[in-house]
Amino acid sequence: MATSPRQLPAAQQNLEKLAPTTISPNNSNNLEKEPNLTLTPPAQYLPDTTIRDYGRDGWLRTFQLAYFFFIFATCLYLDNLVRQEKKDIEGFWQKLVFFLAKRFYPNRNLALEELQKKRAAWLTDKLASFGPTFIKIGQTLSTRPDIVPLEYTKELTRLQDQVPSFPQPIAWSIIEQELGAHPEKIFASIDDEPLAAASLGQVYRARLKTGEKVAVKVQRPNLAEIVNLDLAILRQTVRYLEAKHPHLTFGIEWLRIIDEFAEILFEEMDYFKEVENAEVFRKNFAKWPEIYVPEIYQELSSRRVIVEEFIDGTKVNDIHAIKAQQVEPLEVVKLISRTYLKQLLEDGFFHADPHPGNLRLMADGRLAFFDFGMVGRLTPEMQSKLVDAFFHIVERDVHGIVEDLIELKFLKEGFDPEEFREHIEEVFSHYVGMKIGQLKFQELTYAVSETIYQLPITIPPHFTFVMRALTTLEGIGILVDPNFSFFDTVKPYAKEFMLKQEGKNLRDKLLGKLVKGEDGKISWEKVWKLAKMAIKHYLVPTDQNKKQ
């Protein structure tokens, strides 16, 4: 495994100090032949707990997090302040702080790029030390160059698979507790050191007694307790801000978002569900030879341990390694984009965590998907609305986009739809004259986000993870090609999905929504649009289509 040039700090020992109790098998001879799985109860989200319920450890954890983020925010403020002109500083106290910072602030003379590297490394190290909840947050930021500077995204990528590991004896005891036998009795060999450590667990390379190479994923100890405490801290912080400083919440329903995040996270902790999700994904892509899902040994998997086929491969953001395989990196990103078009518009079931650590380009050119703990699901109704929204954005149909946002329930009940239309049309009017290749999903999301801060708008349940998946995907694309556009990439494939009516569900959506109106009557305008689309797709030369 490639090692990071900088070693991340060890995780907080006070939160992982309790190792699972080792269960000694009653009959080691039988267990050596066949492991005895233990049905561990699933981890549960406890939304009603408070910091006080965790006693002294809860308050210490709260102070630790508050102290760091206060210091980090203060440093960012001073970094920005010392780079301003004296004439731009207003107010007595700000002028005083500016005067002192210019003379005594240690980083006042550092170049901006060097300073960003320093801050990014500091933030990454601290998020890693804070454990799984904050590692998950860092992983998301690592693929968001639209939110954080490039130097931050580079550093935060270390959180994808270069996070602190927990001791081997604890991992071995978890395997024994879950599978009913010591690893040496189950595997012909297993590495002493983890191949990779991630937010919720770590992976060991091993070989079965029948000869197959496998990856053994072992969940972190006391994971539910750690995550529940962090979520309790976040909930109490949000409640305090809503009560005392509501302007700092930007009108976003953070408590609902935390609950949605918790629902997905606790589902991800149950490895039984991950096995089920992997099988659903495998079935959905059974006719796609370029997509591969590693085989999972279900008889050797439990709620906290998964044994699956070991796959060698290259990360999808490792441009030089991909080119060394005689593969064009942009083609890999296009393939990923096509898979997401299918997942969202046809399957209604999608991998919700497509960061580079969960995708690998295999030696034979196939794309392998890993880690199906975090998935999203869309109802047929929501898929139909997404189909409409996608083509309204592609066609720069501002009125249609507004109607889509209302139908997708971005607008809170009781708010005037007309005022909403005015604001949204103003936001999207900037994109009307753009070519499709100039449209960026991240830019649209950012523009809408600014409006969300000003209006009583809410992001509907699970749509958060659609946006997260697509912005993560486009973030990978931009790292490969700064001019990458998700809409431009998937437009020809989206037309193909529509015109070939791939799958029964998609045919129903096309006939019910794109051809017929809401009242079930034929919409000749939509029929004409589909006809023009078909003519362009099948009769216009390919090169000309690509320019559109």
Side-chain angles (χ1 to χ4, degrees):
M1 179 181 72
T3 56
S4 172
R6 304 183 68 258
Q7 182 63 41
L8 290 167
Q12 297 300 316
Q13 296 300 317
N14 62 322
L15 290 172
E16 293 190 356
K17 60 186 177 182
L18 298 176
T21 304
T22 301
I23 298 179
S24 300
N26 295 324
N27 189 331
S28 59
N29 292 329
N30 290 337
L31 288 171
E32 184 171 357
K33 296 178 182 178
E34 183 176 350
N36 182 21
L37 297 180
T38 301
L39 294 178
T40 305
Q44 291 186 335
Y45 174 43
L46 306 175
D48 297 325
T49 57
T50 64
I51 299 172
R52 183 177 299 176
D53 295 327
Y54 293 88
R56 179 173 172 271
D57 285 344
W59 290 111
L60 286 175
R61 174 74 162 174
T62 304
F63 175 78
Q64 175 190 47
L65 293 172
Y67 176 76
F68 167 71
F69 286 110
F70 173 77
I71 296 298
F72 187 77
T74 300
C75 288
L76 290 181
Y77 168 74
L78 293 175
D79 292 343
N80 179 64
L81 185 66
V82 296
R83 281 162 177 74
Q84 295 186 32
E85 297 292 333
K86 184 178 180 179
K87 60 183 177 61
D88 297 328
I89 307 299
E90 298 179 355
F92 171 77
W93 290 111
Q94 192 168 12
K95 288 181 179 179
L96 177 61
V97 173
F98 176 79
F99 173 81
L100 295 174
K102 276 290 190 180
R103 283 155 180 79
F104 303 110
Y105 185 49
N107 298 313
R108 62 188 181 278
N109 296 321
L110 286 180
L112 180 60
E113 184 178 351
E114 183 180 357
L115 185 59
Q116 285 185 342
K117 287 182 179 179
K118 182 178 180 179
R119 292 282 174 257
W122 182 29
L123 176 64
T124 302
D125 289 344
K126 294 304 291 186
L127 290 178
S129 71
F130 288 152
T133 311
F134 294 93
I135 291 172
K136 279 290 183 188
I137 294 172
Q139 287 177 346
T140 301
L141 292 176
S142 73
T143 53
R144 296 297 302 272
D146 59 317
I147 293 179
V148 296
L150 183 59
E151 295 302 329
Y152 280 77
T153 64
K154 289 179 179 178
E155 277 290 331
L156 289 168
T157 54
R158 291 191 286 131
L159 294 175
Q160 290 166 7
D161 56 11
Q162 298 287 332
V163 301
S165 60
F166 55 92
Q168 184 226 54
I170 296 180
W172 272 207
S173 68
I174 292 174
I175 293 175
E176 186 169 355
Q177 183 181 28
E178 293 293 306
L179 304 187
H182 193 275
E184 293 179 355
K185 297 177 186 256
I186 301 172
F187 306 103
S189 63
I190 183 169
D191 293 350
D192 291 331
E193 296 297 324
L195 181 68
S199 55
L200 304 186
Q202 58 197 40
V203 178
Y204 292 87
R205 181 161 31 196
R207 187 180 295 274
L208 296 179
K209 294 191 174 182
T210 50
E212 296 92 342
K213 290 195 300 182
V214 295
V216 183
K217 183 161 75 169
V218 186
Q219 192 172 105
R220 291 183 178 275
N222 307 310
L223 189 57
E225 180 182 355
I226 296 168
V227 173
N228 269 316
L229 171 56
D230 287 339
L231 294 177
I233 293 171
L234 292 176
R235 285 195 306 273
Q236 276 191 244
T237 301
V238 167
R239 289 192 182 105
Y240 171 79
L241 292 176
E242 287 180 342
K244 302 294 184 180
H245 307 283
H247 63 284
L248 295 178
T249 66
F250 303 106
I252 298 175
E253 295 182 72
W254 291 110
L255 287 176
R256 182 178 56 78
I257 291 175
I258 290 172
D259 286 340
E260 287 180 21
F261 175 72
E263 179 185 350
I264 297 292
L265 191 55
F266 275 84
E267 181 175 330
E268 191 176 0
M269 290 183 201
D270 188 345
Y271 287 175
F272 277 158
K273 291 186 178 180
E274 179 172 345
V275 172
E276 293 175 5
N277 294 337
E279 293 308 314
V280 171
F281 194 92
R282 188 195 315 280
K283 181 179 178 182
N284 289 344
F285 281 89
K287 295 182 180 180
W288 285 51
E290 60 268 63
I291 302 300
Y292 189 74
V293 178
E295 293 293 334
I296 296 177
Y297 295 84
Q298 298 190 31
E299 69 277 9
L300 293 175
S301 300
S302 69
R303 292 199 193 278
R304 295 198 294 163
V305 175
I306 284 184
V307 178
E308 66 181 45
E309 176 187 4
F310 183 84
I311 301 292
D312 284 309
T314 303
K315 279 188 179 182
V316 295
N317 64 341
D318 191 340
I319 299 175
H320 297 296
I322 292 176
K323 287 183 176 180
Q325 291 183 223
Q326 304 300 312
V327 176
E328 180 58 44
L330 188 58
E331 292 303 314
V332 177
V333 177
K334 287 181 179 179
L335 175 58
I336 302 172
S337 300
R338 286 172 53 208
T339 69
Y340 268 88
L341 195 70
K342 171 177 163 55
Q343 291 174 62
L344 294 172
L345 301 188
E346 182 180 347
D347 302 334
F349 178 92
F350 63 96
H351 192 303
D353 196 20
H355 67 74
N358 289 337
L359 300 166
R360 286 286 191 279
L361 181 67
M362 300 169 64
D364 60 7
R366 288 182 294 175
L367 179 68
F369 279 77
F370 298 88
D371 195 353
F372 294 91
M374 184 179 290
V375 298
R377 296 174 178 84
L378 299 174
T379 64
E381 180 185 10
M382 192 170 187
Q383 285 179 278
S384 179
K385 292 173 181 175
L386 281 177
V387 170
D388 281 350
F390 176 83
F391 284 100
H392 285 151
I393 291 174
V394 167
E395 295 168 2
R396 276 85 79 189
D397 181 352
V398 177
H399 179 75
I401 293 171
V402 172
E403 294 303 318
D404 294 332
L405 290 174
I406 292 176
E407 288 191 16
L408 286 168
K409 301 190 184 304
F410 273 77
L411 180 64
K412 290 183 180 178
E413 293 184 7
F415 189 68
D416 183 9
E418 291 305 317
E419 185 177 350
F420 174 76
R421 285 189 180 92
E422 291 177 7
H423 283 85
I424 296 297
E425 286 181 358
E426 182 179 352
V427 170
F428 279 92
S429 61
H430 171 69
Y431 301 95
V432 170
M434 287 187 173
K435 295 181 179 179
I436 184 63
Q438 297 174 300
L439 288 174
K440 297 287 191 297
F441 184 82
Q442 294 177 342
E443 291 180 5
L444 291 176
T445 302
Y446 186 72
V448 173
S449 297
E450 289 184 339
T451 303
I452 287 176
Y453 298 156
Q454 303 167 16
L455 300 175
I457 300 173
T458 181
I459 300 177
H462 292 291
F463 199 80
T464 303
F465 295 100
V466 174
M467 296 172 67
R468 180 181 185 274
L470 293 183
T471 51
T472 297
L473 171 57
E474 193 168 71
I476 295 172
I478 290 173
L479 290 175
V480 172
D481 178 5
N483 296 318
F484 176 81
S485 166
F486 174 78
F487 295 112
D488 191 27
T489 300
V490 302
K491 182 181 178 182
Y493 305 112
K495 289 181 179 180
E496 187 175 339
F497 267 113
M498 291 180 64
L499 297 172
K500 290 186 177 181
Q501 301 180 3
E502 186 169 326
K504 180 180 182 299
N505 289 337
L506 187 58
R507 286 198 301 272
D508 292 342
K509 286 194 290 289
L510 293 175
L511 294 174
K513 283 286 289 181
L514 296 180
V515 176
K516 295 183 179 181
E518 296 295 339
D519 56 1
K521 297 180 180 179
I522 295 293
S523 172
W524 294 109
E525 181 182 357
K526 290 183 177 181
V527 171
W528 174 238
K529 285 184 178 180
L530 280 176
K532 288 195 297 182
M533 192 178 297
I535 292 170
K536 288 181 180 179
H537 182 74
Y538 288 110
L539 301 181
V540 177
T542 303
D543 292 340
Q544 188 173 339
N545 269 328
K546 287 182 178 179
K547 292 177 183 178
Q548 292 177 359

